[in-house]
């Protein structure tokens, strides 16, 4: 946020060929197809037309990437090309500036003879540009926008999409298309699950053998993804999954990371060796300078397998030296505390999956973020009671996993304070509905295990439904009307991404296992 007041005004002055403003009355009711649905907007009975002579200008140099992006995207969806003005002049019809009197994610669009957008940050303007892309129409061969006022801001501060890169590697270009989708529907976080049993997809200069052959990213790839996402108002959250889900790490450097009984437990790193903590510090330290924008660093922390951990002599000595008793769960809790200190040293907040339990001698710090998914270890109501900050990643309906995924209507009937699991023995098989609380900061859709060839298809009619429910915590309209709007915006997404919906119909296997729990 800037100390001085900088008006962010996106001014679209719309001219016809003779440089006069062109307003066109609408004879029939205008369909406002916006997803997520804005907080408020005025009825539309006119369109205002732009000419091909219209220009875009940003008085703040920091907004120039957004100007260039908007002009490019607008051309791809409408076929109309605008120019980015090099300097302020009467010929500049579109002007971007900032207004720090707004909240960081709030924006207002006022369209009359001009289109004026005010917003509190680059990210807010990136979301406003998505709204404008969804409202743009062709009116008798000219680019036009509806005459209206849109006042908008999200209810939830965290609106995420996770992609599993360790089980099925994705190219940089494929990830860019998913970032485009996330930005188009006003997500603000893309969480990349880089490591797991199957592979380690990150680069490392100090530990080069970590990178799985032929399925890892270079530092240059990561820098490009960070640049690309920032340009679109998206923050990447990197994840290294430890201490469990770590067989790819153990296999790469067994002398460093293995337990004594590696044949019995090849999945968990050795939490009893000081050299392991040093290595993890160095590995994280290599990544922090790349992912500058994220406030979070995710270390996984779930489903660690403790079989034979207590047989390791390093573990035994370490637990004794740190007064951890004989229960390896206390070592695991101690590990999370040390990782939290490590992550905070780099100026980030640690995030974990639900993994630790309510009981334990070693206290888990309250300044971490817990992504609650299956409700098997620490119930969401208990996390809230105990003072933790929570992201809802409810297995049902927010997991998208090959044949185990859920229909848009199921997602639409969920809310950010509700957890549900399809597994009969899970505590949330009967849904857990919490009271409203600010400790639940939002939600995330998690795409696991899927090949990149089906990732976009499986998300394009699911992610925007979740986004609607976290943008506005209360349902604003009936499902059928919302889906009509989504069908319209999906056509715009097809033009934007170059990925058509012709073969992406949600039917057949897409709805397998979307059955009521009771």
């Amino acid at each position: 946020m800037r100390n001085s007041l900088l008006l962010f005004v996106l001014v679209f002055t719309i001219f016809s060929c003779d440089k006069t403003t062109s307003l066109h009355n609408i004879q029939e009711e205008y369909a406002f197809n916006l997803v997520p649905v804005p907080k408020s907007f005025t009825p539309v009975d006119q369109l205002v037309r732009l000419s091909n002579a219209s220009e875009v200008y940003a008085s703040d140099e920091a907004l120039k990437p957004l100007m260039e992006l908007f002009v490019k995207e607008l051309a791809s969806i409408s076929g109309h090309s605008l120019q980015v003005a090099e300097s302020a002049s009467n010929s500049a019809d579109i002007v971007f500036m900032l207004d720090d009197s707004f909240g960081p994610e709030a924006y207002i669009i006022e369209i009359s003879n001009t289109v004026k957008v005010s917003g509190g940050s680059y990210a807010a303007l990136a979301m406003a540009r998505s709204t404008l892309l969804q409202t743009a129409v062709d009116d008798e061969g000219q680019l036009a926008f509806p005459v209206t006022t849109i006042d908008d801001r999200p209810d939830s501060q965290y609106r995420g999409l996770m992609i599993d890169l360790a089980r099925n590697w994705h190219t940089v270009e494929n990830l860019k298309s998913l970032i485009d989708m996330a930005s188009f529907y006003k997500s603000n976080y893309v969480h990349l699950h880089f490591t797991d049993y199957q592979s380690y997809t990150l680069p490392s200069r100090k530990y080069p053998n970590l990178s799985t052959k032929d399925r890892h990213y270079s530092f240059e790839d990561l820098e490009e993804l960070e640049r690309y996402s920032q340009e679109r108002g998206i923050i990447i959250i990197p994840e290294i999954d430890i201490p469990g889900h770590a067989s790819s790490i153990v296999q790469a450097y067994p002398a460093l990371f293995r337990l004594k009984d590696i044949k019995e437990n090849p999945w968990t790193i050795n939490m009893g060796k000081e050299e392991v903590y040093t290595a993890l510090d160095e590995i994280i330290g290599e990544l922090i300078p790349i992912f500058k924008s994220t406030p979070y660093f995710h270390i996984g922390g779930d489903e660690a397998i403790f079989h034979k951990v207590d047989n390791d002599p390093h573990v035994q000595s370490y637990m004794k030296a740190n007064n951890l008793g004989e229960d390896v769960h206390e070592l695991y809790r101690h590990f999370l505390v040390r990782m939290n200190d490590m992550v905070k040293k780099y100026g980030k907040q640690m995030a974990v999956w639900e993994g630790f339990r309510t009981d334990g001698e070693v206290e888990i710090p309250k300044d971490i973020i817990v992504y609650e998914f299956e409700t098997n270890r620490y119930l969401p109501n208990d996390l809230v009671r105990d003072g933790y900050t929570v992201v809802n990643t409810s297995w049902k309906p927010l997991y998208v996993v090959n044949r185990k995924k859920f229909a848009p209507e199921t997602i639409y009937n969920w809310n950010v304070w509700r957890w549900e699991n399809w597994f009969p023995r899970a505590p949330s098989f009967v849904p857990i509905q919490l009271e409203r609380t600010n400790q639940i900061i939002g939600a995330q859709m998690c795409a696991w295990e899927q090949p990149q060839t089906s990732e976009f298809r499986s998300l394009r009619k699911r992610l925007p439904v979740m986004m609607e429910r976290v943008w506005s915590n209360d349902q604003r309209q009936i499902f059928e009307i919302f889906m009509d709007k989504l069908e319209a915006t999906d056509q715009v997404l097809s033009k934007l991404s170059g990925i058509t919906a012709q073969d992406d119909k949600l039917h057949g296997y897409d709805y397998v296992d979307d059955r009521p729990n009771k």
Side-chain angles (χ1 to χ4, degrees), residues 269-305:
I269 62 173
N270 194 321
M271 296 175 281
K273 295 176 70 174
E274 197 61 40
E275 307 95 292
V276 167
Y277 293 96
T278 299
L280 294 175
D281 194 349
E282 292 173 330
I283 291 166
I284 292 173
E286 289 183 304
L287 297 173
I288 292 296
I290 295 174
F291 298 108
K292 300 181 182 70
S293 63
T294 179
Y296 310 127
F297 193 95
H298 206 298
I299 63 107
D302 66 315
E303 299 175 336
I305 297 172

Side-chain angles (χ1 to χ4, degrees), residues 167 196-197 241-247 250 257-272 300-312 315 327-329 331-332 335 354-357 374 377:
R167 291 177 176 83
D196 214 298
Y197 298 130
D241 203 348
I242 47 178
H245 287 272
S247 50
V250 174
F257 290 107
R258 63 171 285 180
L259 293 162
K260 174 188 174 184
D261 296 312
I262 188 172
K263 290 184 179 180
E264 295 284 337
N265 186 349
W267 309 289
T268 305
I269 62 173
N270 194 321
M271 296 175 281
D302 66 315
E303 299 175 336
I305 297 172
F306 299 125
H307 180 61
K308 297 290 186 176
V309 170
D310 56 355
N311 280 10
D312 185 89
V315 166
D327 185 352
V328 293
H329 287 84
L331 173 63
Y332 161 68
F335 174 85
E354 165 204 357
F356 60 92
R357 301 180 184 275
E374 62 182 347
R377 293 167 179 81

